[in-house]
Amino acid sequence: MTTTERPAATPAAPAASGAPHERGTPGFRRLGAALWCSGLATFVLVYSVQGLLPTLSQQFGVSSSVASLVLSATTGTLALAVLPLSALLESWGRARVMTWALGISAVLALIAPLAPTFGVLVAIRALQGITLAALPALSMAHLTKEVAPRHLGGAVGLMIAGNTLGGLSGRLVATVVADVGGWRAGLAAVGVVSVVAAVAFRWLLPAATAPDPSPTRLRDLGGPLRLHLRDPGLLCLFGIAFLIMGAFVTVYNYLGFRLLAPPFSLPAALTGLIFLGYLAGGWASTGAGRLGDRFGRRPVLWISATLALAGIWLTQPDSLVAILAGLLLVTVGFFGAHSVASSWVGRRSSMLQGGVPAQASSLYLFAYYAGSSAGGAAGGIAFDHLGWFGLVGYVSVLLVGALALALVLRRIPAPAPAPAPATA
């Protein structure tokens, strides 16, 4: 094990005899806190621009769907790069790669406010998606390797709670600061937050208890890739990731445009407060992960998708109270479904003979961020041409599709255990 895999200060001792961390141990707490910081930094960096879309649309004279490219560019390149980079770089040491990914992405966040044109800003954001690509998959793979299986759902839920707070804080910081000092100041503040989160991650991360895998070549990815793409259960989970993320990003991308316009005509700073709904997502992700561990993932997934579907229709009337209530249900439903589905992917892959949980997590995240990029962009077209009612219909189609896939999972059995090796 290299020294770079240990934090610079106050390292925690690894679990005894290389055993995975159990809930309540110091290693479990430090690992959870470190990956919470990782999730926070990732979502701060990726989604902070979401609250600035109306401002960027006005500043650069582009439509709402074009303005959303500053988000879609990041999630699109992240989706394309997540599988090859996470597979090729994991053997370099998960801790080392995650640290570098966070550090380089934070530097790019400090450069983004200097962009002279909208095109340059989109290009910087696209590059940021590449530098972040390995981080989410390696974080999930690290949890799968380092946490005892019976506690995995709760641990993943905790990491996603960091995603939640990152999504919330990034949007609020950017929106509030931009309301005072302009969009450049808003993005600069986000850069500072991401640097702090990256430093905290490196300091908290305990030494690994599981060894890093052997180096992987691109041509070696074909076998496990085909294995994962042939498994019907994993295909359903990948489809769910694409659909729920497309629906969720669409709602948060364009709700600000609706609230800034009549009959609401809310101030930009007040509109940014809609992202406080993310606080419910933090509770939902952790709670859903633990409920899935206790009562089974299928019912928690169904309930979560149904809540989100009910929530989007609550946002249809021109009532601020109804919109906020609907947004709360959409947020709880999304984070509950994502928490359950993402932890399920690693568990199911580990049960397949020849399965590679890190690659399965990468495929899940490819679908997840592809849904954010493609689904969010298509949602903008629906909003530009058909207004909020068209957006509600579009999101409903995505959520019904996710619910249908969740119900299909009911009929798919768990993978058969790998056969025991032959004895002489």
Side-chain angles (χ1 to χ4, degrees):
M1 183 178 298
T2 62
T3 55
T4 56
E5 289 178 304
R6 293 183 181 275
T10 320
S17 305
H21 296 292
E22 299 284 346
R23 182 180 294 159
T25 62
F28 183 92
R29 289 192 291 268
R30 286 180 68 93
L31 178 63
L35 292 178
W36 183 89
C37 290
S38 166
L40 182 145
T42 301
F43 267 50
V44 162
L45 290 166
V46 173
Y47 290 104
S48 57
V49 296
Q50 199 170 45
L52 299 179
L53 293 183
T55 300
L56 294 173
S57 174
Q58 183 180 21
Q59 289 289 319
F60 291 104
V62 296
S63 68
S64 58
S65 54
V66 172
S68 71
L69 288 176
V70 295
L71 176 57
S72 297
T74 306
T75 55
T77 54
L78 196 160
L80 293 174
V82 64
L83 180 58
L85 287 186
S86 60
L88 294 175
L89 298 182
E90 186 178 8
S91 62
W92 293 14
R94 288 184 292 268
R96 182 190 296 115
V97 173
M98 289 189 288
T99 300
W100 276 100
L102 280 176
I104 296 172
S105 300
V107 170
L108 287 172
L110 295 174
I111 295 173
L114 305 177
T117 65
F118 182 75
V120 172
L121 179 60
V122 171
I124 293 173
R125 294 279 302 167
L127 184 59
Q128 207 167 31
I130 297 173
T131 60
L132 281 171
L135 183 63
L138 290 187
S139 296
M140 284 192 183
H142 199 64
L143 276 179
T144 301
K145 295 286 188 181
E146 299 291 316
V147 173
R150 61 181 172 277
H151 303 312
L152 182 59
V156 171
L158 181 62
M159 184 179 71
I160 293 175
N163 296 351
T164 305
L165 186 60
L168 168 63
S169 60
R171 290 161 169 92
L172 285 181
V173 167
T175 303
V176 172
V177 174
D179 192 53
V180 177
W183 67 269
R184 296 181 190 275
L187 289 184
V190 166
V192 173
V193 172
S194 64
V195 169
V196 172
V199 171
F201 163 80
R202 192 68 193 95
W203 183 77
L204 288 166
L205 190 68
T209 65
D212 294 313
S214 302
T216 302
R217 296 169 298 181
L218 277 175
R219 64 184 181 183
D220 296 332
L221 301 179
L225 182 64
R226 288 190 294 271
L227 175 70
H228 292 132
L229 292 179
R230 284 198 301 261
D231 182 74
L234 287 176
L235 286 177
C236 284
L237 292 168
F238 300 154
I240 288 169
F242 180 91
L243 294 169
I244 62 172
M245 190 55 174
F248 182 69
V249 164
T250 294
V251 174
Y252 273 93
N253 271 4
Y254 305 107
L255 183 57
F257 288 95
R258 183 187 183 193
L259 296 179
L260 287 170
F264 303 105
S265 302
L266 297 180
L270 189 58
T271 299
L273 294 180
I274 64 172
F275 297 115
L276 287 172
Y278 264 61
L279 292 174
W283 167 83
S285 59
T286 305
R290 291 178 178 172
L291 288 173
D293 288 340
R294 184 174 180 182
F295 298 109
R297 298 173 185 83
R298 289 178 177 84
V300 177
L301 191 55
W302 302 336
I303 293 170
S304 297
T306 303
L307 282 177
L309 183 59
I312 189 58
W313 281 100
L314 263 182
T315 68
Q316 174 56 35
D318 287 335
S319 163
L320 193 57
V321 172
I323 288 173
L324 294 179
L327 187 66
L328 186 67
L329 287 180
V330 169
T331 304
V332 168
F334 164 74
F335 277 102
H338 173 44
S339 178
V340 171
S342 57
S343 64
W344 199 342
V345 164
R347 181 76 64 84
R348 187 172 181 93
S349 173
S350 66
M351 297 172 67
L352 293 171
Q353 184 180 6
V356 181
Q359 190 183 102
S361 294
S362 297
L363 286 168
Y364 177 88
L365 290 167
F366 166 78
Y368 179 85
Y369 285 108
S372 177
S373 183
I381 296 172
F383 178 69
D384 284 343
H385 290 85
L386 300 173
W388 192 255
F389 181 77
L391 183 145
V392 168
Y394 167 77
V395 169
S396 297
V397 170
L398 297 183
L399 291 175
V400 168
L403 183 58
L405 289 176
L407 293 173
V408 168
L409 278 170
R410 181 180 182 181
R411 300 186 178 183
I412 299 176
T423 58

